[in-house]
Amino acid sequence: MNNIQYAFINEFGHYGFDFDQPETSTHFIIVSILVKDSDREFLEQEVEKINRKHLSKKEIDDSLRMEILQNLKDLPFKVYAYVIDKRKIREDSGVTYEKTFIKFFNRKIFDDLYRTFDTLDLVADEQGSKEFTQEFIAYVKQKCIPDLFNYSTFGFNSSESDILLELAEFIAETIAKGYDAKHHSHQYPSFYRLLKNKIITVNLWPHDYKHYLYDYHFEKTDSETDQIIIKQAVNLAYQYIEKHRKSEEEDERVRIDLLKFLLFNLKENPDDYVYTEEILDNLNAIRVNKIKQHYFRSNIVSKLRDQGLLIASSNKGYKLPVCLNDLYDFVNLSSLTIHPMIQRVAKCRDQILLATNREIDILEKAEYDYLKRVIEMEKIAPMNNE
């Protein structure tokens, strides 16, 4: 239990769907603050200092929120969150009833956390009045059976920390500033920049590519081609996540976590690539066995591309494409590797053909036929251009 990871869970929002009521939020947000056992005591002490100075105040305006985030940005915790846009839930789905809403998302969040984390000690306010949290605690305790020592590797184990639950509530309120229509703040981009390195992922629900079309294309460009590209990239990512979400294979878990990270980055920074090092920092934050760069490229990104997913890359990193130029970036980067390698194979082949009086062709085997045809086409192409 030395390497145990805690998840301090809190929520933001109202369960109702009557958006004409002032207290009814447009979004429901659940935040888990993740912290390792070795960092917990230090984090509690530091947050307590911030709490005494700031968080105890009844009103937190944007400037104070910025100051608090500045104080939090270097502390040892991560954020794993869910943002549910209640406006996008169809009335005929049945989820618009409070009890059904709570049960439905209890199950979805449990399934996702259980798949993502092998071990996790969950902490929430077990004596509180928040119905979603109380139902979630009951659901997890029902699903996760403790061992002979009354300990569950995934579940609630009577751990407590009011100060870190307050931190989870503060982060949930901060995320709401970027999503909830009734709590929106123009300062959210600044909040996000301070939170960025803390966020493992923000799971958006329902899965809807139109979130991205609205945020990106309708404000920046009317290009029909670009809209097709972003729609295809997002839908393929969501389809892959849904198809493999129950997989027990570790590589599939990493691929799903990568896609979630890229989807979130697309939502917040559609034009920006993410450096490989930053992606690995994010993926490794929840893993004991750390992923290396070569393994990431060959077993994670390459396998997703083999399945037809659209992932753009350049010397600045990776992203989901939002326009044709993003795809050209991928083609250009690939050509820098592919073309020189083909030329080297061609030169090697020519040398052996010359030395053996054309008796040995290293591309004669059937499995090299495609490579042989590419090389022969390259020899013809200059002649056709003359």
Side-chain angles (χ1 to χ4, degrees):
M1 297 183 194
N2 290 336
N3 293 321
I4 193 167
Q5 183 158 241
Y6 294 96
F8 297 89
I9 301 171
N10 219 321
E11 64 186 65
F12 166 90
H14 188 272
Y15 314 119
F17 285 80
D18 184 357
F19 299 115
D20 291 333
Q21 297 298 320
E23 74 276 7
T24 304
S25 59
T26 61
H27 289 65
F28 190 75
I29 297 168
I30 304 101
V31 161
S32 295
I33 295 295
L34 304 177
V35 57
K36 294 177 181 176
D37 186 43
S38 56
D39 294 324
R40 176 175 170 172
E41 185 177 352
F42 172 74
L43 179 62
E44 287 175 332
Q45 291 171 354
E46 293 302 306
V47 175
E48 183 63 56
K49 292 176 187 175
I50 296 170
N51 182 61
R52 286 198 297 268
K53 185 177 180 183
H54 297 303
L55 289 177
S56 56
K57 297 178 182 177
K58 291 183 179 180
E59 266 319 307
I60 299 178
D61 60 20
D62 285 352
S63 61
L64 180 55
R65 188 173 298 276
M66 192 88 73
E67 188 176 341
I68 295 170
L69 290 170
Q70 281 281 4
N71 292 332
L72 291 171
K73 69 182 179 65
D74 294 322
L75 297 183
F77 70 91
K78 295 289 184 180
V79 175
Y80 196 88
Y82 301 86
V83 174
I84 301 157
D85 188 343
K86 295 186 296 175
R87 299 168 303 179
K88 298 285 196 303
I89 298 176
R90 298 196 320 271
E91 288 186 16
D92 60 358
S93 67
V95 182
T96 53
Y97 297 100
E98 181 178 325
K99 294 289 185 184
T100 311
F101 176 91
I102 291 172
K103 289 182 181 297
F104 179 81
F105 284 106
N106 275 175
R107 178 170 53 81
K108 284 193 76 70
I109 291 169
F110 170 80
D111 288 347
D112 184 68
L113 287 173
Y114 192 75
R115 182 207 65 80
T116 304
F117 301 94
D118 291 326
T119 61
L120 200 63
D121 197 328
L122 304 170
V123 185
D125 184 1
E126 300 200 28
Q127 306 303 319
S129 59
K130 295 178 179 178
E131 190 174 352
F132 185 93
T133 300
Q134 298 311 308
E135 291 286 340
F136 184 66
I137 292 169
Y139 183 81
V140 173
K141 287 184 174 180
Q142 176 188 342
K143 298 286 287 186
C144 300
I145 308 300
D147 60 20
L148 292 173
F149 301 98
N150 201 34
Y151 182 83
S152 174
T153 56
F154 184 99
F156 290 91
N157 292 299
S158 300
S159 301
E160 296 180 7
S161 180
D162 290 342
I163 193 66
L164 295 187
L165 289 175
E166 287 182 33
L167 174 61
E169 183 175 36
F170 173 78
I171 297 298
E173 291 170 353
T174 301
I175 292 173
K177 298 293 182 182
Y179 289 88
D180 193 272
K182 295 183 179 180
H183 297 82
H184 183 267
S185 168
H186 294 296
Q187 291 297 315
Y188 177 73
S190 299
F191 300 157
Y192 168 74
R193 280 192 290 274
L194 292 171
L195 265 181
K196 180 182 177 183
N197 293 332
K198 295 294 175 196
I199 295 174
I200 291 176
T201 194
V202 171
N203 299 279
L204 302 177
W205 205 92
H207 294 164
D208 186 357
Y209 74 89
K210 290 179 181 176
H211 287 309
Y212 305 93
L213 285 180
Y214 174 78
D215 286 354
Y216 183 75
H217 286 284
F218 293 167
E219 292 182 1
K220 296 190 177 183
T221 177
D222 292 323
S223 168
E224 186 176 344
T225 301
D226 290 353
Q227 290 189 24
I228 291 170
I229 289 169
I230 192 172
K231 175 181 177 180
Q232 189 73 351
V234 171
N235 281 346
L236 287 171
Y238 278 142
Q239 288 168 20
Y240 191 94
I241 291 170
E242 187 60 29
K243 181 179 178 180
H244 297 278
R245 66 185 177 85
K246 293 184 179 180
S247 174
E248 297 296 324
E249 186 186 347
E250 179 58 21
D251 281 1
E252 288 295 7
R253 292 186 177 193
V254 178
R255 291 178 196 123
I256 289 172
D257 291 338
L258 169 62
L259 292 175
K260 287 182 176 181
F261 179 77
L262 293 178
L263 282 165
F264 177 67
N265 188 72
L266 176 61
K267 179 75 174 176
E268 298 292 342
N269 301 292
D271 295 314
D272 292 352
Y273 283 89
V274 187
Y275 284 109
T276 305
E277 293 80 4
E278 184 179 340
I279 296 174
L280 289 178
D281 285 345
N282 180 279
L283 296 176
N284 287 331
I286 58 174
R287 287 180 167 79
V288 175
N289 299 318
K290 305 305 182 186
I291 305 161
K292 305 296 185 183
Q293 276 202 27
H294 176 72
Y295 191 86
F296 171 71
R297 291 193 175 102
S298 60
N299 286 62
I300 306 304
V301 178
S302 294
K303 298 299 183 184
L304 287 171
R305 285 172 170 162
D306 289 345
Q307 294 293 314
L309 275 79
L310 302 180
I311 300 177
S313 55
S314 73
N315 57 7
K316 294 173 287 187
Y318 296 91
K319 72 191 295 285
L320 293 180
V322 297
C323 60
L324 199 54
N325 281 337
D326 286 344
L327 298 181
Y328 285 143
D329 283 346
F330 169 53
V331 174
N332 290 338
L333 186 66
S334 299
S335 69
L336 292 175
T337 304
I338 295 169
H339 193 254
M341 290 181 70
I342 291 174
Q343 287 183 319
R344 291 181 199 122
V345 172
K347 288 175 181 178
C348 177
R349 178 193 183 215
D350 288 343
Q351 289 291 349
I352 299 302
L353 286 171
L354 180 64
T356 63
N357 199 22
R358 303 189 69 82
E359 290 182 6
I360 298 177
D361 185 349
I362 62 173
L363 299 182
E364 198 59 46
K365 291 185 177 182
E367 57 262 40
Y368 301 141
D369 184 58
Y370 75 96
L371 192 54
K372 185 177 180 180
R373 282 187 280 121
V374 169
I375 290 171
E376 295 297 339
M377 285 175 62
E378 282 207 330
K379 290 180 178 179
I380 296 170
M383 296 171 58
N384 291 339
N385 291 332
E386 289 178 357

